[in-house]
Amino acid sequence: MPRIFGTDGVRGLANGQLTADLALDLSVAAARVLVDHTRAEGRRPLAVVGRDTRISGQFLEHAVVAGLASAGVDVLRLRVLPTPGVAHLTQTLGADLGVVISASHNPMPDNGIKFLARAGVKLDDAFEKEIEELLGQDWERPTGAEVGRVTPYATPVEEYVDHLVATLDRPLAGLRVVLDCAHGAAWEAGPLALERAGAEVVVIGAEPDGLNINDGYGSTHLEPLRRAVLEHGADAGFAVDGDADRCLAVDAAGAVVDGDQILAILALAMAERGQLVKDTVVATVMSNLGFVQAMKGAGLGVRQTKVGDRYVLEAMRVGGFTLGGEQSGHVIMSQHATTGDGLLTALHVLQRMADSGRSLADLASVVTRLPQVLVNVPGVDRSRVDEDAVLAAAVAEEEAGLGDTGRVLLRPSGTEPLVRVMVEASTTELAHDVAERLAGVVRTQLAL
């Protein structure tokens, strides 16, 4: 059987690749693994299930809940809640499994199913492999009192918001903030958290109808946020994505503050407080060279990983690091969360503004972003990127020309027959020229 799980659960077109049948089968298989793991403890396993606002999440939630309960797992329904909220309650309620039904920043027709382990972290590969191996197999169904109970959980939003606010050391009084909820899972928890933290909040993108998630709003569509910040004279604006596990920001002048800049702001704040373990922040290879240079200039180290929050989390766990993230705004603060949390990120950036009395633009200016150009080269053999001597020589020559003022990254796609050529340089023109030259070499050397 081909592998079903991707780097972030199972995702696809709802009722296309991701059907109610598949959701039911996945949850039954996950439940069977759980029951096997907990049988020795003489108890029935517990799962929590949450979702975003997509209309397809309704039927997928019912399929997942039915599958879990039919296999002997008790289920608490969290209903609409951000992914990090589900992770938090998985941990604090001692649940054996957390299930998130969301396709994050993807368009509305897509959806996904992501499983979380007991500590509120992503399942490891071995657990996912066990689930895949059980799909479609015959099994002995529990009956009578052995089936699971399904209970709506009364206060998921309130408990998640209480957790978020409790991570702050001071109120955010005096700050006016615009929050764009992407018509997604944060539509209720987001405004409530910022208000309880003491900020004056202007809310946009908080009228979900099941169809409008990520549609012209959220972290992938920042123009409405920019307009609202300028219109309301706000100190800052933050936009989360559909499941609120990431956020990007806009300063008072409407300039975008990206994930690298947010990560730098938090790294410096944590370093001052002695909370940045080993004075090191974890980032991916896609982080702008300007971010790396800024951290080096501040005496901080950067541990870089492959692209994907899975790899950031893995490096953080192995090294015991307390801060990591991606350019996309997916930031992980391990003191307070087991996954990326857009609302938590926004609150702590605002706390840094309140503590320092500095504007967001001033704080973000620590990072001077180098122009970055990305060229996708399709129709090539991505498996030979690291083997072709001519390509390696071309990359080395371009890197020598850029020196310390730029860099080159060739990254094979994990899902398509293409190679991504990323170049950073002192000017956009130079980055574009280098990227196009290297893209030409990739087309010639790696042609299928």
Side-chain angles (χ1 to χ4, degrees):
M1 173 183 290
R3 183 160 174 79
I4 291 177
F5 286 93
T7 58
D8 201 26
V10 178
R11 192 176 293 185
L13 178 65
N15 231 21
Q17 299 98 333
L18 183 56
T19 62
D21 291 339
L22 178 56
L24 183 72
D25 291 346
L26 280 168
S27 56
V28 165
R32 292 175 62 195
V33 175
L34 276 184
V35 170
D36 288 344
H37 287 183
T38 58
R39 183 176 288 128
E41 302 174 22
R43 63 182 180 84
R44 181 158 46 208
L46 173 67
V48 297
V49 179
R51 62 180 175 87
D52 67 24
T53 55
R54 293 163 215 267
I55 192 170
S56 61
Q58 297 176 9
F59 78 76
L60 289 172
E61 177 191 5
H62 286 288
V64 166
V65 170
L68 292 171
S70 72
V73 177
D74 290 338
V75 181
L76 296 176
R77 291 181 55 230
L78 306 180
R79 301 173 298 284
V80 173
L81 193 69
T83 289
V86 178
H88 171 68
L89 289 175
T90 300
Q91 184 179 41
T92 59
L93 295 175
D96 300 283
L97 185 73
V99 187
V100 180
I101 301 166
S102 174
S104 190
H105 57 280
N106 281 29
M108 180 278 296
D110 291 343
N111 218 322
I113 299 174
K114 177 164 55 180
F115 294 110
L116 303 170
R118 189 169 189 175
V121 299
K122 291 186 179 182
L123 289 187
D124 59 31
D125 291 339
F127 200 128
E128 289 182 350
K129 188 171 185 293
E130 285 187 77
I131 293 173
E132 289 182 338
E133 289 174 348
L134 290 177
L135 284 175
Q137 290 188 9
D138 292 333
W139 59 296
E140 185 177 348
R141 301 170 187 271
T143 57
E146 297 304 310
V147 301
R149 280 91 165 158
V150 179
T151 308
Y153 192 65
T155 55
V157 171
E158 290 79 2
E159 291 182 33
Y160 173 50
V161 168
D162 286 345
H163 158 67
L164 290 173
V165 176
T167 67
L168 299 177
D169 296 331
R170 60 172 296 159
L172 305 178
L175 289 175
R176 178 180 293 177
V177 186
V178 178
L179 178 65
D180 180 352
C181 300
H183 297 305
W187 78 271
E188 185 177 6
L192 189 59
L194 288 174
E195 288 167 359
R196 286 191 185 172
E200 178 186 346
V201 187
V202 176
V203 184
I204 63 174
E207 299 177 4
D209 61 8
L211 305 175
N212 59 0
I213 186 171
N214 298 322
D215 186 9
Y217 285 84
S219 60
T220 55
H221 304 280
L222 293 177
E223 188 54 37
L225 180 65
R226 293 183 68 253
R227 289 197 302 267
V229 166
L230 295 173
E231 178 186 348
H232 293 278
D235 297 293
F238 295 88
V240 297
D241 62 339
D243 71 334
D245 67 349
R246 66 179 71 182
C247 83
L248 294 178
V250 166
D251 67 24
V256 173
V257 178
D258 70 8
D260 286 338
Q261 292 167 302
I262 290 171
L263 203 57
I265 291 169
L266 295 176
L268 293 173
M270 291 174 64
E272 284 185 13
R273 292 167 172 248
Q275 297 172 340
L276 192 68
V277 169
K278 302 177 186 176
D279 282 337
T280 297
V281 58
V282 179
T284 76
V285 292
M286 286 300 290
S287 282
N288 194 278
L289 181 59
F291 164 77
V292 178
Q293 292 172 339
M295 294 297 92
K296 182 178 179 180
L300 305 180
V302 178
R303 179 72 58 87
Q304 290 187 281
T305 74
K306 293 191 290 185
V307 175
D309 64 287
R310 173 185 290 264
Y311 304 110
V312 174
L313 277 164
E314 181 181 354
M316 291 178 69
R317 284 198 296 269
V318 171
F321 301 117
T322 47
L323 181 66
E326 299 183 273
Q327 195 177 55
S328 62
H330 194 284
V331 174
I332 304 154
M333 305 179 72
S334 63
Q335 287 178 299
H336 309 300
T338 59
T339 186
D341 189 329
L343 298 178
L344 181 72
T345 299
L347 286 167
H348 281 262
V349 171
L350 289 167
Q351 179 174 263
R352 178 61 167 170
M353 292 171 63
D355 284 342
S356 65
R358 297 167 62 188
S359 69
L360 181 56
D362 187 29
L363 292 170
S365 67
V366 66
V367 176
T368 301
R369 290 178 293 188
L370 295 181
Q372 187 179 84
V373 170
L374 179 66
V375 177
N376 291 325
V377 186
V380 295
D381 184 356
R382 63 184 188 273
S383 67
R384 294 195 290 117
V385 168
D386 297 325
E387 302 173 0
D388 189 89
V390 173
L391 180 57
V395 169
E397 181 180 352
E398 296 291 358
E399 287 180 328
L402 292 171
D404 294 334
T405 63
R407 67 177 180 130
V408 172
L409 176 66
L410 266 60
R411 187 166 67 89
S413 168
T415 58
E416 303 173 81
L418 62 81
V419 171
R420 308 187 196 282
V421 180
M422 191 276 286
V423 177
E424 291 171 347
S426 55
T427 67
T428 302
E429 292 75 17
L430 177 58
H432 182 270
D433 289 345
V434 172
E436 286 298 338
R437 285 197 294 269
L438 288 176
V441 178
V442 170
R443 291 187 190 97
T444 300
Q445 295 299 121
L446 306 184
L448 290 172

